[in-house]
Every structure is written in structure tokens, then in C-alpha cells.
């Protein structure tokens, strides 16, 4: 049997719940982000309307020229043009008509350029603001959101879905306005020129409207599935590329190819289902519009040759029929284009649902409008009866945690894997909020503080530090204005200067994506230097020396002594030697703080800490049988990934 990681239900749209919560998403995006560029929108719309009006005039001039200049049935007159402007004589009138048509085409081209410039500026800036705001919303969501969503799915919204909105706004919304103007304007002119024949030409409109309505109802849900499958495929690709070292190390290229193929087939099936519906719709539009044109030609031609048919009356001239046929052609062609607009609207609507749904996600970490700014921090931290459970988890990860750290205290946290140590400190930074109890800094509940000021005063070094693609210097000074001397001092305090000196470009060396060009210990020391440079009043070290050797750990510990001397420090450690000199050691088991005290006091009690210390110093024979059995049970069933 071959085992892989399913990542949940691959057929489900991870953002389906958010999509369903989005109401009028296109309107929300248009009104919220389009207001700043309403001038460009209005200019583009006006230019489009005027251009469409002028596009109808050449056909009218041609019809008049046929009846007056070629057939000689009527005098050469143009609507809304004073007779004094029109020259006398057939040749002069002919060249006047040619010049008028040419001038109109030049004017139309200019108006189309204005329309294109204004609409592209409107769409590009709207897309830019939507993407930036969506990203800002994403980075402010609480960690529980990221626990249930994959990076590729989020990237699909930030990139693919936002781009789809831009494409619709640039091309299809503009085309929709153009089509609307052409249909209304052409229909009005046809009625003005010959109302009876216009009725024949306009008969196809209700049929087209009905066909479009049926298409919209069918295609909408299918495009929703397409957007979801795109996100799933992006997640698979991002996951595999991110883990390429594991793929290669275990020779699982064929296995991963099969998984990508499966995700791609899901996208293929969803997309082909939508395409199958679409390719049935467009030919039907051509048939309807083509039939409308044929009927117009049939009735008009019969009328011209044999007199008014059936209920029609009066005479019909050749120029009038020619103009009507040209207008009918111009009228029916955009009606076929209307199918593209409807199709692309539904596709963009599915994308807008995901974008707006994501932006409207309330999350679980709320910041009050009148949240306090955390200032003048002394560093007193107090937990009181704190409980927390991850979504969909059966048991609490933190249970009735109560303790106090005075300003400047060094607090160590130890316990078996899965005991809740990391979770306990993530609650301090409000990466999650407790379900019960309170956490206070200097007597102020962290939930009453602004998130930015809270996290500004807490430095965090994780057991798996993340380095951005860039230089050592950029990673240490992440988001701060710091000079080179300050950066070098932070690196020295973190025990990093020895390996920095061996790098090809020193602190200007590029570390690669996620710091791939450095060892785990080197990445950890750079992360520590980052925290040192931040100079926070509260410091959280989550296995901050787990990837370094014993000699380097000694160097870092000496550096940290000065760093932790004047600030409240929490240090999670599996190597108990790291925290043996802590002011207070919290021993956690199954989410509870089961022991707390100094190192020597805890050893004398002979509890869990004493057993863990025996393991560290190699006194395995002295361990109680109960402790050994429980450790074995943890190995069998797994205690979870989070400390």
C-alpha cells in the first residue's frame, strides 16, 4: 500500500464557506475600490458612448449617398447638418461624403484610444489596490486561518483571482457598455429610419436574452468549481516545490508526478465541464443573430422588389435597406459578443466571491477600535486559568494555566513533546486567543491592546526560524532602520560572526529562499540576532538553540545572558541544561502546568522534571516504570506536533 498526504478533501474548494458568505462581490469591489478612479471610469465610459454613436454614422451617410448621389431619387441631406454646410453639385457632395466618413473614422479611433487609456488605468489601479488590500487582510488573519488553508490556495486568490478581475474590468465591462450603447443606439436609429423593418431586426433580442439567462444559471456554479480546482492545483505545486529536497532524497519524483497529475485532472474535469457548457452557448448565439439578419434581409429585400409584404405598408428605398442591413449587422454582431461578456462575467464573479469572501473573513482575533497602545513596558506577565483548544481538536492544548513572571524574570518551559509549551506562548502574542482565562502584561489584558503595539514589544525566535530570500543583513534588520554596526553587534551577540566571516560576501551574502544556503544552526543564530536587534522588553525563545552544537550553544548562552538580564524571557527547551539557571521553570504535561519552581527545587520533588533530567544526564535506570510506559505510549499514539 502506498501512503501519501491527502491534505483533506482534494475535491472540495477550501474557500467554499467564504465564497458563500460574499454578497454582491462584484458590486462591493467596484464601489469600494472604483471610487478613487471614477474620473477615469467616467471618461472611458463617455468616450465609449460617443465613439459608438459615431460608428453608426458612416452607414447612414452611405444609405443617403446611394439614394441621392447614385440613384438620384432624393436631395443629398444629412440629419443635424445645416444645408448651408453641404456643398452643391454631385461631385462636391460625393467628396464631402467621403471626407465626412474618413473624419468620423479618425474621430472614432481617437475616442477609442481615450477609452482604452482611461479603462486600463481604472482597471490596473483597481486591481493593484484589491491585491494589496487582500494581502493586508491575509497577513492580519489569525493563525487558525492558516492552520486550515494551504499556501497555494491563498496565492491562487492573491494572484489568479485578482488577475481575473482585472481582465474583466479592462475588457469585458468596457465591452458590455459598448454593446449596450450599440444596441440601444442602433435600435433607436433603426426605429427612426423605418420602424416597421426595425421590429423585424429587433425580434432576436428577447430570444438572445432568454438564452443568456439560461447560460448564466448553468455556468455560474461550474466556474466556482474551476476556481476551487485552480487553488488546489496551486497548493499541490507549491507544496511539492517547497519540499523538493524530500522528494529528491526519497526518490519520489514518480509519486509526486502522479499527485500533480491527479490535481491537474481535477482542474481539467472542472474546466472542461464549464467549456462544454460554453461551447454550446456561443453557436446558439450565432444561429439566433444570423437568423435575425436573414429575416431582416428577407423582409427588406422582398419589400424593395415586390412591395410591402403582409402587415407592412409604404415604400422602401435601396439606401434605407442598405443602411438597415448595415446597422442590423452592426447590431447583431455585438449581441454575439454579449455571450463572451456574460461568460467572462460569471468567471470573474466566481473569482470575486473568493476575493471578497477572504476580505470579509472576520477571523477569531479581534482588535477593538479603541484598543490601548502598549507603552512603558516593565514586563510583568500573568496567566490566570487560561484554556485553549485548537479548532476540531478533541482536548484542550492548554488547560488551566496559571503563573506569573515578574519583570526581568527568566522563565523556562519544559515538558514532553505535545505538552502545550509553544501554544502557551503563542497565546501571549495573540497568534491565538484563549477560550477561557486572561493573559496580562503589566496588568493589562492583551485582548485590550492593539496587536501592533503588543507584538512590537515581544521578540520571538522559533525552533524553525524563517529567513526571507535576501542577504544576511536584510534578514537581521528585517523591517527596521539599522546601521551596519548595530547589525554586526547583534550578530556578534548571537554567536554568528564566526560563520559570517566565512561566507563569500559576509553580511551581504544571499541566504536563498527560506535560508536554504545556510545550516539549521546558522539560520537559528541569524534569527536570534534579529530578535536582539529588535530589543524587545519580552523575549520568547522556542527551542532557539535546538539546531546548534554544544560548543555553539555555550557561546549563544553567554550572549543571551546579557540579552535576558533586563527583560522578561520565556525559553522553551528540550535540553534542560539550557534553562537550569532560570528564575522559574514551568513543567507542562498534557496542557497543564504540573510543576513550577527553580531547578534544584524541582529535582528534590522527584516529579516529571526530575525524570526528564535523569533522561538528559543518562540515568535511565533510575526512571520510574510508570514514566517509561507513558513515554512509550506517547510514541505509539503520537502526542501532536505542537509543543
Amino acid at each position: 500500500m502506498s501512503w501519501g498526504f491527502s491534505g483533506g478533501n482534494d475535491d472540495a474548494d477550501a474557500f467554499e464557506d467564504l465564497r458563500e458568505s460574499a454578497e454582491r462581490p462584484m458590486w462591493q469591489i467596484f464601489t469600494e475600490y472604483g471610487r478613487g478612479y471614477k474620473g477615469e471610469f467616467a471618461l472611458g465610459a463617455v468616450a465609449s458612448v460617443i465613439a459608438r454613436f459615431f460608428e453608426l454614422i458612416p452607414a447612414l451617410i452611405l444609405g443617403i449617398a446611394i439614394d441621392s448621389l447614385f440613384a438620384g431619387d432624393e436631395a443629398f441631406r444629412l440629419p443635424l447638418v445645416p444645408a448651408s454646410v453641404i456643398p452643391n453639385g454631385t461631385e462636391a457632395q460625393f467628396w464631402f461624403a467621403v471626407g465626412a466618413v474618413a473624419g468620423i473614422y479618425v474621430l472614432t479611433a481617437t475616442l477609442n484610444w481615450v477609452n482604452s487609456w482611461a479603462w486600463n488605468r481604472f482597471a490596473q489601479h483597481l486591481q493593484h489596490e484589491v491585491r494589496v488590500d487582500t494581502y493586508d487582510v491575509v497577513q492580519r488573519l489569525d493563525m487558525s486561518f492558516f492552520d486550515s488553508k494551504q499556501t497555494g490556495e491563498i496565492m491562487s486568490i492573491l494572484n489568479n483571482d485578482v488577475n481575473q478581475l482585472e481582465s474583466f474590468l479592462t475588457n469585458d465591462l468596457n465591452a458590455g457598455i459598448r454593446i449596450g450603447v450599440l444596441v440601444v443606439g442602433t435600435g433607436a436609429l433603426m426605429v427612426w429610419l423605418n420602424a416597421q423593418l426595425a421590429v423585424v431586426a429587433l425580434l432576436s433580442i428577447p430570444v438572445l436574452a432568454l438564452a443568456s439567462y439560461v447560460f448564466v444559471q448553468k455556468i455560474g456554479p461550474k466556474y466556482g468549481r474551476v476556481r476551487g480546482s485552480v487553488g488546489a492545483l496551486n497548493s499541490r505545486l507549491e507544496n511539492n516545490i517547497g519540499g523538493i529536497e524530500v522528494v529528491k532524497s526519497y526518490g519520489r519524483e514518480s509519486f509526486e508526478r502522479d499527485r500533480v497529475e491527479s490535481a491537474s485532472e481535477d482542474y481539467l474535469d472542472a474546466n472542461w465541464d464549464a467549456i462544454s457548457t460554453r461551447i454550446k452557448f456561443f453557436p446558439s448565439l450565432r444561429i439566433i443573430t444570423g437568423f435575425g439578419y436573414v429575416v431582416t434581409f428577407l423582409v427588406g429585400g422582398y419589400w424593395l422588389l415586390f412591395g410591402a409584404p403582409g402587415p407592412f405598408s409604404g415604400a422602401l428605398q435601396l439606401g434605407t435597406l442598405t443602411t438597415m442591413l448595415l446597422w442590423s449587422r452592426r447590431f447583431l454582431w455585438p449581441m454575439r459578443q454579449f455571450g463572451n461578456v456574460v461568460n467572462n462575467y460569471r468567471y470573474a464573479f466566481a473569482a470575486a466571491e473568493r476575493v471578497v469572501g477572504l476580505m470579509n473573513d472576520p477571523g477569531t482575533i479581534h482588535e477593538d477600535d479603541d484598543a490601548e497602545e502598549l507603552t512603558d513596558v516593565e514586563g510583568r506577565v500573568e496567566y490566570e486559568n487560561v484554556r485553549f483548544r485548537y479548532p476540531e481538536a478533541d482536548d484542550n492544548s492548554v488547560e488551566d494555566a496559571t503563573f506569573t513572571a515578574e519583570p526581568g524574570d527568566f522563565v523556562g518551559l519544559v515538558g514532553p513533546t505535545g505538552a502545550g509549551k509553544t501554544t502557551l506562548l503563542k497565546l501571549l502574542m495573540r497568534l491565538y486567543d484563549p477560550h477561557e482565562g486572561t493573559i496580562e502584561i503589566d496588568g493589562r489584558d492583551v485582548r485590550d491592546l492593539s496587536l501592533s503595539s503588543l507584538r512590537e514589544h515581544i521578540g520571538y525566535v522559533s525552533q524553525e526560524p524563517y529567513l526571507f530570500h535576501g542577504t544576511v543583513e536584510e534578514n537581521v534588520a528585517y523591517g527596521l532602520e539599522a546601521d551596519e554596526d548595530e547589525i554586526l553587534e547583534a550578530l556578534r551577540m548571537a554567536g554568528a560572526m564566526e560563520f559570517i566571516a566565512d561566507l563569500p560576501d559576509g553580511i551581504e551574502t544571499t541566504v536563498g529562499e527560506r535560508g536554504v544556503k545556510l545550516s539549521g544552526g546558522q539560520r537559528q543564530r541569524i534569527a536570534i540576532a534579529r530578535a536582539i536587534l529588535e530589543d524587545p522588553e519580552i523575549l520568547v525563545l522556542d527551542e532557539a538553540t535546538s539546531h546548534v552544537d554544544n560548543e555553539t550553544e555555550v557561546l549563544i548562552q553567554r550572549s543571551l545572558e546579557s540579552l535576558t538580564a533586563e527583560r522578561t524571557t520565556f525559553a522553551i527547551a528540550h535540553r534542560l541544561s539550557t534553562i537550569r539557571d532560570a528564575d522559574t521553570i514551568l513543567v507542562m504535561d498534557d496542557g497543564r502546568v504540573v510543576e513550577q519552581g527553580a531547578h534544584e527545587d524541582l529535582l528534590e520533588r522527584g516529579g516529571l522534571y526530575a525524570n526528564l533530567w535523569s533522561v538528559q544526564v543518562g540515568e535511565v535506570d533510575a526512571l520510574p516504570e510508570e514514566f517509561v510506559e507513558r513515554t512509550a505510549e506517547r510514541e505509539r499514539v503520537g502526542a501532536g506536533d505542537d509543543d
Side-chain angles (χ1 to χ4, degrees):
M1 180 180 292
S2 176
W3 292 89
F5 302 96
S6 65
N9 183 0
D10 290 339
D11 295 329
D13 182 358
F15 291 91
E16 184 175 358
D17 55 335
L18 298 180
R19 287 179 51 229
E20 292 175 350
S21 68
E23 297 182 3
R24 304 173 69 192
M26 293 292 286
W27 178 252
Q28 182 173 332
I29 288 175
F30 185 81
T31 54
E32 184 170 345
Y33 293 94
R35 286 197 303 265
Y37 303 95
K38 57 186 178 183
E40 287 86 344
F41 177 83
L43 177 62
V46 170
S48 180
V49 169
I50 297 175
R52 302 296 80 77
F53 171 76
F54 278 112
E55 284 178 356
L56 300 174
I57 296 178
L60 178 63
I61 294 176
L62 176 60
I64 293 173
I66 289 175
D67 289 337
S68 62
L69 301 181
F70 303 139
D73 295 336
E74 295 182 354
F76 185 80
R77 292 288 183 268
L78 296 177
L80 304 179
V81 177
S84 58
V85 176
I86 299 176
N88 296 319
T90 300
E91 182 177 357
Q93 291 174 350
F94 170 76
W95 286 112
F96 179 83
V98 171
V101 170
I104 288 170
Y105 277 121
V106 172
L107 178 60
T108 301
T110 302
L111 289 169
N112 284 333
W113 177 87
V114 173
N115 166 256
S116 180
W117 177 87
W119 272 88
N120 275 280
R121 180 174 172 81
F122 162 75
Q124 291 292 327
H125 282 79
L126 184 145
Q127 175 201 34
H128 164 71
E129 292 191 4
V130 168
R131 176 180 287 114
V132 172
D133 275 12
T134 306
Y135 167 75
D136 192 46
V137 168
V138 168
Q139 70 173 355
R140 295 178 188 279
L141 289 172
D142 52 271
M143 290 303 299
S144 61
F145 174 86
F146 298 95
D147 292 340
S148 60
K149 302 293 188 297
Q150 296 188 57
T151 303
E153 294 167 340
I154 301 172
M155 289 297 297
S156 178
I157 291 181
L158 293 174
N159 193 32
N160 297 344
D161 290 339
V162 173
N163 286 346
Q164 187 61 43
L165 290 175
E166 182 269 335
S167 177
F168 173 77
L169 292 172
T170 300
N171 302 314
D172 301 296
L173 183 57
N174 190 16
I177 293 177
R178 183 168 62 248
I179 291 169
V181 172
L182 274 175
V183 169
V184 174
T186 306
L189 287 174
M190 291 173 75
V191 170
W192 168 75
L193 190 61
N194 190 304
Q196 298 178 86
L197 191 57
V199 172
V200 177
L202 299 176
L203 282 176
S204 59
I205 289 181
V207 182
L208 287 169
L210 177 61
S212 298
Y213 175 80
V214 173
F215 171 72
V216 166
Q217 297 304 308
K218 289 185 176 181
I219 202 68
K222 297 183 178 184
Y223 278 146
R225 289 193 292 273
V226 170
R227 300 314 306 167
S229 63
V230 168
L233 178 57
N234 283 348
S235 293
R236 172 58 55 208
L237 294 172
E238 188 275 336
N239 197 37
N240 291 1
I241 296 301
I244 192 65
E245 183 177 358
V246 176
V247 175
K248 288 183 172 295
S249 298
Y250 284 86
R252 297 295 189 265
E253 288 87 351
S254 297
F255 172 69
E256 292 299 348
R257 183 197 180 281
D258 292 342
R259 295 213 290 175
V260 170
E261 182 179 20
S262 176
S264 183
E265 283 181 352
D266 290 341
Y267 169 67
L268 171 63
D269 292 341
N271 205 29
W272 181 249
D273 185 29
I275 290 173
S276 298
T277 302
R278 190 170 69 232
I279 61 180
K280 294 174 184 175
F281 173 61
F282 290 133
S284 67
L285 290 186
R286 291 183 176 274
I287 292 173
I288 295 170
T289 55
F291 183 76
Y293 184 79
V294 169
V295 172
T296 303
F297 177 69
L298 171 64
V299 174
Y302 186 93
W303 193 341
L304 185 66
L305 294 173
F306 308 111
F312 300 98
S313 61
L316 181 68
Q317 295 179 314
L318 175 62
T320 300
L321 176 60
T322 301
T323 299
M324 291 291 285
L325 288 174
L326 289 173
W327 278 349
S328 179
R329 185 82 176 166
R330 188 131 193 106
F331 169 80
L332 294 174
W333 176 77
M335 290 302 294
R336 292 200 302 268
Q337 262 195 325
F338 181 69
N340 282 322
V341 173
V342 172
N343 173 70
N344 294 337
Y345 169 76
R346 288 308 310 180
Y347 202 59
F349 187 89
E353 283 182 315
R354 286 157 56 91
V355 172
V356 171
L358 178 60
M359 295 180 71
N360 291 344
D361 185 354
T364 58
I365 303 296
H366 303 289
E367 181 178 347
D368 294 335
D369 294 336
D370 58 349
E372 301 178 42
E373 293 295 314
L374 181 60
T375 57
D376 302 323
V377 178
E378 295 180 2
R380 188 177 192 272
V381 176
E382 184 176 3
Y383 281 63
E384 184 174 353
N385 300 323
V386 172
R387 293 182 180 181
F388 173 77
R389 182 177 63 254
Y390 286 102
E392 301 180 3
D394 295 330
D395 301 314
N396 288 338
S397 296
V398 175
E399 184 73 47
D400 289 329
T402 300
F403 65 88
T404 300
E406 297 296 340
D409 273 2
F410 180 19
V411 179
L413 287 88
V414 301
T417 299
K421 304 183 292 294
T422 297
T423 300
L424 186 72
L425 295 183
K426 285 182 177 179
L427 297 174
L428 174 63
M429 296 179 286
R430 290 200 74 196
L431 298 179
Y432 304 92
D433 270 344
H435 296 129
E436 295 182 33
T438 59
I439 302 173
E440 296 182 349
I441 296 178
D442 295 342
R444 288 172 284 183
D445 193 320
V446 294
R447 285 171 291 197
D448 296 332
L449 304 173
S450 71
L451 290 171
S452 59
S453 67
L454 170 66
R455 294 167 184 170
E456 179 183 344
H457 295 283
I458 301 177
Y460 178 63
V461 181
S462 72
Q463 55 186 312
E464 294 293 340
Y466 188 97
L467 299 188
F468 296 91
H469 181 75
T471 66
V472 171
E473 181 179 23
E474 290 168 341
N475 273 280
V476 174
Y478 176 61
L480 298 176
E481 294 291 337
D483 58 37
E484 185 174 321
D485 290 339
E486 292 173 321
I487 294 171
L488 291 174
E489 177 61 18
L491 287 166
R492 185 193 64 76
M493 292 182 66
M497 287 308 299
E498 181 178 352
F499 79 83
I500 294 291
D502 294 331
L503 295 178
D505 298 312
I507 63 172
E508 296 295 332
T509 301
T510 300
V511 301
E513 188 174 8
R514 298 177 183 268
V516 68
K517 296 182 180 180
L518 304 177
S519 69
Q522 291 171 338
R523 290 196 296 271
Q524 223 156 23
R525 280 176 276 177
I526 289 177
I528 292 172
R530 179 191 293 166
I532 292 172
L533 189 63
E534 182 75 23
D535 193 27
E537 288 83 1
I538 300 172
L539 182 64
V540 175
L541 305 173
D542 186 355
E543 290 289 337
T545 59
S546 60
H547 291 302
V548 300
D549 54 42
N550 291 332
E551 293 179 355
T552 304
E553 182 182 7
V554 171
L555 295 176
I556 294 178
Q557 289 300 328
R558 289 178 179 175
S559 300
L560 290 178
E561 287 178 4
S562 59
L563 177 66
T564 61
E566 298 179 358
R567 70 194 75 229
T568 306
T569 303
F570 296 90
I572 298 172
H574 281 297
R575 281 190 273 191
L576 303 189
S577 58
T578 306
I579 49 84
R580 64 176 299 171
D581 295 326
D583 297 300
T584 301
I585 298 174
L586 304 178
V587 185
M588 296 193 67
D589 192 20
D590 288 338
R592 296 178 180 273
V593 178
V594 295
E595 299 177 52
Q596 55 181 302
H599 171 74
E600 296 297 338
D601 294 336
L602 294 174
L603 288 182
E604 290 178 4
R605 295 179 192 176
L608 177 57
Y609 182 82
N611 292 331
L612 293 173
W613 181 260
S614 296
V615 173
Q616 293 275 302
V617 298
E619 297 176 355
V620 180
D621 294 338
L623 293 171
E625 187 64 28
E626 180 184 354
F627 176 82
V628 176
E629 290 178 356
R630 188 171 183 185
T631 302
E633 180 65 19
R634 290 181 190 276
E635 292 296 324
R636 283 194 296 270
V637 301
D641 295 327
D642 198 325
D643 279 341

